[in-house]
Every structure is written in C-alpha cells, then in structure tokens.
C-alpha cells in the first residue's frame, strides 16, 4: 500500500483538531475536552498523530504515571484516547502512531506500559498481554454510623476543592505503600479532578469531627454503584461511606477492590475476572532496576532478559532462570503478586516456587479513578 502521510508528535496548534478527531469515539467533543484543555499535566508532545494532506486522521495519547511497587516505584506510559477517523480505518494508521508513541516512551526511560481495552487482539500485536483484574459485586454492609469507641456519628458530605490538602494527605497515609496505586502530586490531583468531573454525590468524605477519616469516589453503573476509589483510615469509616454512597441504588456496589476491602460487602460478594487491562515492558533495564530496588534483602541481583517475542526471563545468581513469562502474567505479578486468582496460571509452571518468592502476594489495586 502506498501510504501518503506521516506520524508526528502534536503541537499546541493541533489540540482543536485532536478534540474534533476524538469525537469519532461517538462521544461529544466536551466529553474528552477537559483532558486536553484543563489538564495541567498535558503536553501536546504526549499526543502522536497521523497527518495526511494537512488533516489529522489518527491519534494516541501517552498518560505519564508513576506506579507503586513493593518498596519502590515504576514509571508507566499509559496508552489512551486511541482513535482513527471513521472514514480512514483499517489502513494501519493506529499501528503507526502507537508504535511511535511506544518507541518515544521507551527512549524517555519509561519502564512499563498499561492500557484498558475491549479489543485485546489489537494490542497483542504490539507486545501487550491481558492481566486478570478482580471485579467484585455485592451489597454494602450496614454499619451503625459511628466509629468504635466514639459516640459521635461519622458525618458524610460531598468533596469541596478546599478539602484537597486533607484528601491528599489521607491518600498518602493509606496507599503510600500499596502496589498498583499511582503517585499523585498536586498537579496530578487537579488534572484528575478536572477530567473526572464528578458530581457532588460521586465524591463523598467521611469526617469524625474535623478529621477526615475516609473518602469514596464512585460512578453509577446501571443499577449498581461502581467504586472507582476507596480510601479510609478505618474499616468502620469505609463501611459507612459505602452504605451512604450506595443507598440510592439499594446498597448495590461493584468495583475493582483490593483483597482487604472485599469484606466491606455483606454476605458473599460475587467475584469475577475482567481481562480489559493489558501491560507490557518497555525498558527491561529500568524494570529490572525497579524490581531489584523492591527486593534489596532477598533478590538484590535479580535481572530481566528478553525471551523471544513478548516474553521475558527472570534470573538470580542462585537460581535457575524462570520459564518465559508473558506480558499479561508479568503485569499481574507486578500489581498483585502471586494472588490466589493467579494460581491457575502458576500451578503448572516448573518455576512457580521461585515466582511466589519473587512476587509475594500483595494487597494491590489499580484504582479506576486513575484509568486513562
């Protein structure tokens, strides 16, 4: 095919045309506009476009994040807003812009890449593998509305922008060592709030007197309430928040929750796997450095090596190398460790004991509030 066009990074002048192109998601222009015009972290160079005859026909954006791993962090290039003009699809334009975006992210040192998709086969061609997220559905357990040892009821009210410093401190207190959570500075918080555009009832705080003891962020998902983030200093405050937030939908709650939060739901919640999350290494050397930093006492000499195709091998000086590890399993191990839901994938592997040692089970979560 004789392709007339080129891939390039966007400029400030391209933003209006990018917003027009993003309407080919079959969403109104306003839906994604805040992510480009109100996000203080956005730089046009994070957008890669296919230009042909002066028109932008395809686009992908790289969302730059830092994710926590046990005792360390890893830089992540999040892939989002992948779109092609509806009259110019199936011509390879998305492949070209995504390849350019990934090459640039690797050149800039990003260790890993993540994305969410309903079309995993498209991204498998780019080296991604699907990782099983755990989606929980149940009914919020009803508490008595007060904290243990405290006669005062917990007050629940909507978030206001003046609450942001307290919310930021509580987020760091609760999630500062939780794998999968994003390191959020003030610009990140303000950008996240701008493009989430949560209604007052979607972001609720729990206060004990003047002290912030928890918050929950949600969105309506049919007849249930999807929890996009739950941050609380106590189980009682978390239960009360969920009960109040989910009351308009009969207490029905769903969401991607850490293992420790499943018990907040009444009776036996329904748990299923979602395979929309995909990941892959970008810079194996930087990923290896992050893994060594997270295991200084047990595996300080851990190394990562390509194993052909999309797979990698892990080595330590005192053990045989692992069998090839695909990008989906690697993503899951990084975020959640050798969790119970990964046992079907580990049980038949000869290196399962080593992988369980390298990746002990974690109470990790990748909040949907941070999705891109």
């Amino acid at each position: 095919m004789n392709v007339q066009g080129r891939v390039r990074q966007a400029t400030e002048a391209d933003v209006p045309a990018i917003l027009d192109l993003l309407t080919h998601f079959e969403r109104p222009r306003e839906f994604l506009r805040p992510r480009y015009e109100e996000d203080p972290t956005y730089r046009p160079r994070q957008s890669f476009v296919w230009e042909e005859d002066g028109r932008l026909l395809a686009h992908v954006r790289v969302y730059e994040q830092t994710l926590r791993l046990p005792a360390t962090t890893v830089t992540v290039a999040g892939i989002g807003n992948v779109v092609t003009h509806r009259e110019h699809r199936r011509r390879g334009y998305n492949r070209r812009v995504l390849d350019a975006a990934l090459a640039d992210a690797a050149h800039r040192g990003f260790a890993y890449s993540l994305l969410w998709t309903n079309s995993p086969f498209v991204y498998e061609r780019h080296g991604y593998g699907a990782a099983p997220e755990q989606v929980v559905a149940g009914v919020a357990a009803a508490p008595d509305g007060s904290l243990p040892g405290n006669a005062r009821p917990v007050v629940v009210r909507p978030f206001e922008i003046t609450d942001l410093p307290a919310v930021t401190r509580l987020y760091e207190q609760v999630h500062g060592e939780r794998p999968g959570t994003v390191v959020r500075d003030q610009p990140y918080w303000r950008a996240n709030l701008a493009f989430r555009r949560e209604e007052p009832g979607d972001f609720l705080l729990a206060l004990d007197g003047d002290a912030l003891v928890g918050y929950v962020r949600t969105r309506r998902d049919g007849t249930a309430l999807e929890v996009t983030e739950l941050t609380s200093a106590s189980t009682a405050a978390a239960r009360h928040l969920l009960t109040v937030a989910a009351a308009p939908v009969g207490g029905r709650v769903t969401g991607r929750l850490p293992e420790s939060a499943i018990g907040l739901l009444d009776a036996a919640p329904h748990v299923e796997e979602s395979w929309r999350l995909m990941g892959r290494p970008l810079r194996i050397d930087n990923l290896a450095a992050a893994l060594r930093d997270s295991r200084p006492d047990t595996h300080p000499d851990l190394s990562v090596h390509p194993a052909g195709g999309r797979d990698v091998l892990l080595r330590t000086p005192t053990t045989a190398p692992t069998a090839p590890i695909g990008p989906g399993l690697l993503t899951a191990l990084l975020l959640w460790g050798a969790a119970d839901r990964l046992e079907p994938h580990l049980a038949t592997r000869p290196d399962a004991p080593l992988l369980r040692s390298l990746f002990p089970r974690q109470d990790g979560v990748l909040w949907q509030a941070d999705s891109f």
Side-chain angles (χ1 to χ4, degrees), residues 301-314:
D301 299 317
L302 178 67
S303 58
V304 184
H305 305 271
R310 305 182 302 158
D311 299 345
V312 298
L313 299 174
L314 305 182

Side-chain angles (χ1 to χ4, degrees), residues 5 89 154 173 218 243 274 279 328-329 343 364:
R89 291 171 181 165
V154 178
Q173 174 189 334
T218 63
T243 302
S274 167
L329 179 58
E343 276 305 309

